[in-house]
Amino acid sequence: MSDKRVLMVSSLWPPVRLGGAEGAAHELAVHLRDAGHEVRVVTLGVPGADVIAQVTPRPYRLDEFEHQPARRRLAFHVRDLYRRETTHVLEEVIRTFRPDVVHTHSVAGLSSTALAAPSRLGVGHVHTLHDYWLLCQRSSLVARDGTVCDRRCINCTLISRFRNGVIERHPPHVVLAVSGAIAAEHVALGWMGKCLRVVRNPIASRVPVARRPVGPLPTFGYLGRLTPTKGVHTLLAAFRAAGIPGARLIIGGDGPLRAELSAEGTDGVEIEGWLDADARERFFERVDCLVVPSEWKDPAPLVLNEAAARGVPVIGSRIGGIPELVSESCDALLFQPGDADELAERLLEYARAPERFPGGARSDALNWGMYLERILTAYEDAGRAAAMVRERSGRTKS
């Protein structure tokens, strides 16, 4: 395939990040560039070396949302319905950069116009589903009180109907889902059915290293945001209930629960805070088993890929895309989300016989070469679809 000019659209861009979506998009940009492609980015008020244009972050940037009062959060949601500025910025960038394809990622704050403009302007458009923004105003299918929604509320239903009403006139040509779980949540959207395909995030190729022998004192680890929906409270309760003599639990990450968790002072628990790249490596060197106790429909936690690349076994909750990403060798360690008693049993099960759970990647996991092949195929398919639309439009006008 020929080298391509790729325009990515992402609300945030490293080093400014909120979750895994912007990190995954950035890593893809790096690999595309290494393969000879040219990549530029449009963001919601985040500058950077890759960034060619920014949409003004009114009333504030996405990463500031969590700390805003209710009325300012409402203002953000209202502006996120329809933003003409996003269309204007994309029109100018597409005119000057002339991309072969536009690849949109998480676009909260940029409004539905971010997903309608590229196709309307005649450019091949690929969109990756990293979250539930098309279905839920919070992008998470989680209610205000932190509980997982068993059905969508009226507000989210109306907002979703408006967003998708704008998009379905000029939808993306290809939609990529990071897991089968998130794809299943979106199949009901009429415009998405024929263009949706599952392409899971890749696992970095690493030189195989032997995991150090696990002694009688296992070290469990958690790495992620410290929020209720991530299941950190359930993990702490399970760790205490398991009562494994000499066991440790290392918690890496930051978030609104950090002060509360630190104040609890549970024996054997270490709260590390936010970890940079080097600290993350040291984290994985120290832990024997990673625990991913999410209680929301986590589409595809990237920490699972990090663990797989290092051969670290995983105890994960049976929700969202987690069961699709956990190594087959660790399927027996899955547990019901929010069930501290069952999680305690899994901690004990691992501690009794760690050799049963070697970790590693699933048999159907993608490496970066395989992943890039699928991405470039999606770009080619989107380009052909856009060309067909342009051809039909030309025939109609003539």
Side-chain angles (χ1 to χ4, degrees):
M1 296 181 183
S2 60
D3 295 345
K4 294 194 177 297
R5 297 163 69 87
V6 181
L7 177 65
M8 290 194 176
V9 182
S10 176
S11 299
L12 301 180
W13 196 252
V16 179
R17 57 193 301 170
L18 192 59
E22 48 271 10
H26 179 264
E27 195 168 3
L28 172 59
V30 171
H31 279 80
L32 285 169
R33 192 177 295 109
D34 289 346
H37 307 284
E38 187 175 358
V39 183
R40 294 292 183 270
V41 185
V42 172
T43 69
L44 181 64
V46 179
D50 300 302
V51 177
I52 194 173
Q54 304 170 44
V55 176
T56 307
R58 297 188 180 95
Y60 45 79
R61 214 163 59 185
L62 178 61
D63 56 314
E64 299 168 352
F65 180 87
E66 186 175 84
H67 307 291
Q68 303 297 323
R71 62 179 181 80
R72 284 178 59 78
R73 290 191 181 198
L74 177 60
F76 184 94
H77 288 313
V78 170
R79 283 189 174 272
D80 198 22
L81 286 175
Y82 193 89
R83 294 196 64 167
R84 292 187 182 278
E85 184 187 356
T86 299
T87 298
H88 295 158
V89 169
L90 289 176
E91 286 176 344
E92 178 63 18
V93 170
I94 288 171
R95 183 183 67 80
T96 55
F97 179 54
R98 301 183 65 82
D100 298 299
V101 64
V102 176
H103 190 166
T104 52
H105 294 271
S106 288
V107 296
L110 292 169
S111 87
S112 50
T113 58
L115 298 192
S119 299
R120 183 180 64 78
L121 296 170
V123 183
H125 180 194
V126 174
H127 176 63
T128 293
L129 291 172
H130 295 280
D131 55 37
Y132 301 100
W133 180 81
L134 286 169
L135 303 174
C136 171
Q137 65 175 339
R138 296 183 183 83
S139 305
S140 60
L141 300 182
V142 173
R144 186 179 292 117
D145 62 2
T147 57
V148 177
C149 300
D150 54 1
R151 61 178 180 176
R152 284 193 290 160
C153 64
I154 293 176
N155 282 348
C156 287
T157 299
L158 293 176
I159 288 171
S160 174
R161 187 175 300 164
F162 181 88
R163 284 177 179 164
N164 288 285
V166 173
I167 296 166
E168 66 185 3
R169 301 170 201 161
H170 303 282
H173 301 103
V174 177
V175 178
L176 306 177
V178 294
S179 66
I182 194 172
E185 295 287 345
H186 285 82
V187 291
L189 298 178
W191 63 265
M192 193 178 292
K194 294 182 180 180
C195 61
L196 180 61
R197 58 186 76 167
V198 176
V199 179
R200 298 184 182 90
N201 292 318
I203 295 174
S205 299
R206 299 173 63 88
V207 176
V209 293
R211 295 287 299 166
R212 64 181 175 80
V214 178
L217 308 177
T219 298
F220 298 100
Y222 169 87
L223 185 58
R225 292 275 295 162
L226 304 184
T227 61
T229 57
K230 286 290 188 177
V232 188
H233 281 312
T234 299
L235 173 56
L236 280 178
F239 182 76
R240 287 192 291 264
I244 304 169
R248 292 191 302 155
L249 171 61
I250 302 174
I251 295 179
D254 206 351
L257 294 182
R258 182 179 176 183
E260 179 183 337
L261 297 175
S262 299
E264 289 185 17
T266 303
D267 288 343
V269 177
E270 303 173 24
I271 310 293
E272 299 284 297
W274 182 82
L275 305 180
D276 61 18
D278 290 338
R280 290 174 84 92
E281 285 298 332
R282 292 193 294 272
F283 169 88
F284 281 109
E285 290 171 0
R286 296 169 63 195
V287 303
D288 301 311
C289 181
L290 181 75
V291 185
V292 184
S294 295
E295 295 177 14
W296 73 295
K297 295 178 181 179
D298 215 334
L302 289 177
V303 69
L304 289 170
N305 295 44
E306 294 182 78
R310 295 163 177 81
V312 177
V314 174
I315 299 173
S317 56
R318 201 177 288 106
I319 195 171
I322 295 172
E324 300 175 45
L325 303 176
V326 169
S327 168
E328 289 95 337
S329 65
C330 295
D331 280 347
L333 294 177
L334 293 170
F335 69 97
Q336 190 66 20
D339 191 331
D341 291 336
E342 188 177 4
L343 176 52
E345 292 174 9
R346 298 295 177 265
L347 297 175
L348 285 164
E349 190 173 352
Y350 173 81
R352 291 189 191 107
E355 68 279 359
R356 289 179 51 207
F357 311 103
R362 289 190 73 87
S363 57
D364 60 353
L366 301 179
N367 59 32
W368 265 103
M370 298 160 66
Y371 180 73
L372 278 181
E373 183 179 347
R374 285 163 172 75
I375 292 295
L376 292 173
T377 297
Y379 289 174
E380 291 285 342
D381 292 345
R384 281 193 291 269
M388 291 175 61
V389 172
R390 291 195 302 268
E391 184 179 347
R392 286 198 300 267
S393 177
R395 287 200 301 264
T396 301
K397 290 178 181 178
S398 63

